[in-house]
Amino acid sequence: EVQLLESGGGLVQPGGSLRLSCTASGFTFSTSAMSWVRQAPGKERALVASITSITRTTYYADSVKGRFTISRDNSKNTVYLQMNSLKPDDTAVYYCAIGGRSGRFGSWGQGTQVTVSS
């Protein structure tokens, strides 16, 4: 069974940082592109960042470029999202998903809440 477990969310002040983690099991992680997707209150789900399996090419939404970094550790079956200079507009539930920039995802995690507020 495919399992994606996100962690690391929480409440942070504007300008602060968080690192999200997603630990994966039940599939071949090292050959799978991975993404972080978020859904803010009252908005549709949106792709935040993705990373390919072999070359580890990354993609970022314009809204997070220069602030967020996606990475992966294949030995740990884990994908990370380092979030710096957080803004209130970053408030959302963050999900990891199997799939890349195409936006066609095979599986989703249950999500972790990120709240940016003063």
Side-chain angles (χ1 to χ4, degrees):
E1 178 182 355
V2 172
Q3 185 172 343
L4 301 169
L5 183 60
E6 301 97 335
S7 62
L11 175 64
V12 64
Q13 293 185 339
S17 297
L18 286 172
R19 189 181 74 158
L20 307 184
S21 299
C22 174
T23 301
S25 61
F27 66 103
T28 306
F29 177 83
S30 62
T31 60
S32 299
M34 299 295 295
S35 293
W36 286 96
V37 180
R38 69 186 181 188
Q39 187 164 28
K43 296 184 178 180
E44 295 183 351
R45 202 168 295 161
L47 178 65
V48 176
S50 63
I51 184 167
T52 65
S53 59
I54 306 302
T55 64
R56 297 185 179 181
T57 301
T58 57
Y59 164 82
Y60 299 96
D62 287 343
S63 59
V64 306
K65 283 182 179 178
R67 300 188 297 118
F68 290 13
T69 303
I70 188 171
S71 61
R72 65 194 298 159
D73 185 340
N74 288 343
S75 70
K76 297 181 178 179
N77 278 19
T78 301
V79 61
Y80 305 95
L81 185 68
Q82 178 66 47
M83 305 185 295
N84 299 325
S85 302
L86 283 161
K87 304 175 180 179
D89 284 349
D90 295 319
T91 296
V93 178
Y94 285 72
Y95 304 88
C96 64
I98 304 171
R101 187 177 178 179
S102 70
R104 298 195 296 178
F105 304 115
S107 297
W108 300 76
Q110 292 187 340
T112 184
Q113 176 71 49
V114 172
T115 302
V116 184
S117 176
S118 60

